[in-house]
Amino acid sequence: MTHPQRTSPRIDAAVIGGGFYGCMLAVHLRSAGAKVTLFEKHDDILTRASHTNQARVHNGYHYPRSLLTGLRSRVNLPRFVAEFRDCVDSSFEKIYAIAARHSHVTARHFVNFCTRIGAPVRPVGPRIRELFDPRLVEAVFAVEEYAFDAVRLREAMWARLRAAGVDVRLAADVRRLAAHDAGGLRLECAGVPGGESWVADRVYNCTYSQLNAVLARSGIPPIPLKHEITELALVRMPEKLAGVGVTVMCGPFFSCMPFPSRGLHSLSHVRYTPHTSWHDSGATVLDAHRLLAESPRRSRVGLMVRDAARYLPAIAGCRHVESLFEVKTILPASERDDGRPILLEHDVGLPGLTCVLAAKIDNVFDMLDAVPVPAERTERRAA
Ligand SMILES: Cc1cc2nc3c(=O)[nH]c(=O)nc-3n(C[C@H](O)[C@H](O)[C@H](O)COP(=O)(O)OP(=O)(O)OC[C@H]3O[C@@H](n4cnc5c(N)ncnc54)[C@H](O)[C@@H]3O)c2cc1C
């Protein structure tokens, strides 16, 4: 008896990875007329780095050593706020303090930088100044920076995906990519009901810490990337600090930011937040998700609080609720100036395969502006 041969569904574009970047890209391509399927290995979208992060809607202040990253955040924040107003928390006072010792920037440098990128910055009054130890903190500024609610952002993305008509496949782990005999790329998926193999004209790998894992399984050399297993401590702040977000910079210092989806603050410390780090290079590619799942989760919140309290004594009264762990992935070159450029590379190992390494949440628009919309679709739309 012969079995009828199963044909693979054919689509214009496959987006791998249902984080914020993959979802935004899928909607963008679909809105241009392409038939798009989004593949996400977990049971929901925005559960990985797009959920577990400091929730800062960047306005540039964080990057005094990288003019480009600062400027792009400054340009993109108003667009993000306009498009995702319901997801943005602007109800707190945002404070940047410059450490007096071991800082990569001085207060004068910081103010010059803010002026250059057009980011508002003003000195604080005594109520805020007195929160800091004057021996360790050179200057304290009030700025305009917000936090986003990652759960609301997930809901907003679901609404956009549905409205655009993107075909979303959850629990769909893309294992391998290969050139297809009749043109385009074949994707082999684990866990997709109704078929394990798909053919797409173009494939967009938006898997962040898994970018190279997908490439390696497809026999494609890795993109040089650095990964860190990071701890984000969620804490309840003492009353004095409940309505503020504080960043002490620039070097081995800390941030405490509102984490709106939980009604808590996140605490992160440049020295204690990264627990382990490694580079993908040559033939060595570790599966970052697996490594994280197998790693011990011993919190360093005590060390974070102890050091932060030297600068901001009231933080000693915070209560640790839990810690979230996630892999942070950056370009090795970013270590020089702490910049966060987006990586967008076309035809990586296979014609039609685009790889995206995301950066700041609000800089997603830079990626969308740089991704060419398939030509024939543009013509169809224009007709
Ligand atoms: C600790 C930390 C703090 C940060 N703080 C901030 C901040 O305050 N502000 C800011 O703007 N940015 C911050 N960032 C950066 C920002 O969170 C990320 O750049 C961004 O969320 C990445 O989005 P993404 O969609 O590319 O990745 P993700 O959200 O990680 O999405 C990738 C998706 O791909 C899926 N996937 C992986 N492999 C496969 C596969 N084989 N098949 C199918 N699906 C797959 C994953 O399950 C995941 O859902 C932070 C990041 C970290 C880790």
Side-chain angles (χ1 to χ4, degrees), residues 17 19-21 40-42 49-50 53-54 56 173-174 358-359 361:
F20 186 58
Y21 271 64
E40 166 52 50
K41 72 183 245 191
H42 291 296
S50 299
N53 61 59
Q54 272 182 49
R56 188 192 307 263
D173 186 352
V174 175
I361 291 285

Side-chain angles (χ1 to χ4, degrees), residues 41-299:
K41 72 183 245 191
H42 291 296
D43 292 339
D44 203 348
I45 58 170
L46 274 69
T47 62
R48 302 289 317 204
S50 299
H51 169 269
T52 302
N53 61 59
Q54 272 182 49
R56 188 192 307 263
V57 186
H58 280 271
N59 201 9
Y61 304 103
H62 214 67
Y63 295 100
R65 292 187 291 138
S66 172
L67 186 63
L68 185 62
T69 302
L71 196 58
R72 292 319 303 164
S73 295
R74 175 79 192 115
V75 167
N76 285 314
L77 174 135
R79 190 167 166 193
F80 182 87
V81 173
E83 289 203 20
F84 295 100
R85 192 166 296 280
D86 291 347
C87 309
V88 173
D89 179 353
S90 55
S91 64
F92 60 98
E93 287 178 272
K94 184 65 225 246
I95 308 299
Y96 271 73
I98 311 297
R101 286 183 234 146
H102 310 301
S103 173
H104 297 306
V105 295
T106 61
R108 198 161 65 108
H109 178 174
F110 182 71
V111 171
N112 284 345
F113 170 77
C114 294
T115 309
R116 273 183 89 184
I117 64 168
V121 59
R122 53 179 204 285
V124 293
R127 179 180 56 88
I128 295 289
R129 188 64 180 92
E130 282 160 14
L131 290 171
F132 295 86
D133 183 333
R135 291 166 303 174
L136 295 185
V137 171
E138 183 195 347
V140 184
F141 300 101
V143 303
E144 275 175 32
E145 196 178 63
Y146 313 128
F148 65 89
D149 181 322
V151 172
R152 288 197 179 178
L153 195 60
R154 179 186 299 150
E155 287 159 7
M157 279 324 305
W158 268 122
R160 284 186 177 214
L161 290 162
R162 288 192 186 110
V166 174
D167 174 35
V168 181
R169 305 281 159 157
L170 298 174
D173 186 352
V174 175
R175 303 304 299 164
R176 214 174 152 266
L177 304 170
H180 183 59
D181 298 343
L185 292 154
R186 200 178 72 248
L187 291 88
E188 286 169 20
C189 260
V192 181
E196 295 195 336
S197 172
W198 297 66
V199 177
D201 290 348
R202 293 208 65 89
V203 175
Y204 299 86
N205 180 359
C206 301
T207 56
Y208 191 60
S209 61
Q210 294 291 98
L211 265 183
N212 282 330
V214 173
L215 297 183
R217 291 194 296 263
S218 310
I220 300 170
I223 295 167
L225 294 177
K226 182 186 178 194
H227 307 274
E228 291 172 346
I229 291 186
T230 55
E231 174 185 4
L232 209 61
L234 297 185
V235 298
R236 191 164 304 285
M237 281 296 181
E239 206 181 317
K240 259 185 175 176
L241 297 176
V244 293
V246 172
T247 299
V248 177
M249 55 194 308
C250 170
F253 305 118
F254 70 94
S255 281
C256 48
M257 280 289 292
F259 194 74
S261 62
R262 297 285 300 277
L264 297 168
H265 274 63
S266 69
L267 176 59
S268 55
H269 189 292
V270 173
R271 194 179 306 131
Y272 303 118
T273 289
H275 281 231
T276 336
S277 68
W278 71 97
H279 286 79
D280 291 336
S281 58
T284 318
V285 172
L286 303 175
D287 183 317
H289 282 187
R290 185 183 302 164
L291 213 67
L292 175 62
E294 291 170 356
S295 294
R297 298 189 177 199
R298 277 185 222 102
S299 176

Side-chain angles (χ1 to χ4, degrees), residues 13-38 46 84 157 160-161 164 166 202-207 342-346 354-357 364-374:
V15 177
I16 316 172
F20 186 58
Y21 271 64
C23 290
M24 287 291 279
L25 181 57
V27 169
H28 174 74
L29 296 168
R30 179 72 196 116
S31 306
K35 188 176 170 195
V36 184
T37 298
L38 173 70
L46 274 69
F84 295 100
M157 279 324 305
R160 284 186 177 214
L161 290 162
V166 174
R202 293 208 65 89
V203 175
Y204 299 86
N205 180 359
C206 301
T207 56
I342 294 169
L343 174 134
L344 179 68
E345 272 185 31
H346 300 294
T354 295
C355 287
V356 176
L357 178 71
V364 73
F365 303 112
D366 287 346
M367 184 237 344
L368 299 183
D369 291 346
V371 169
V373 166

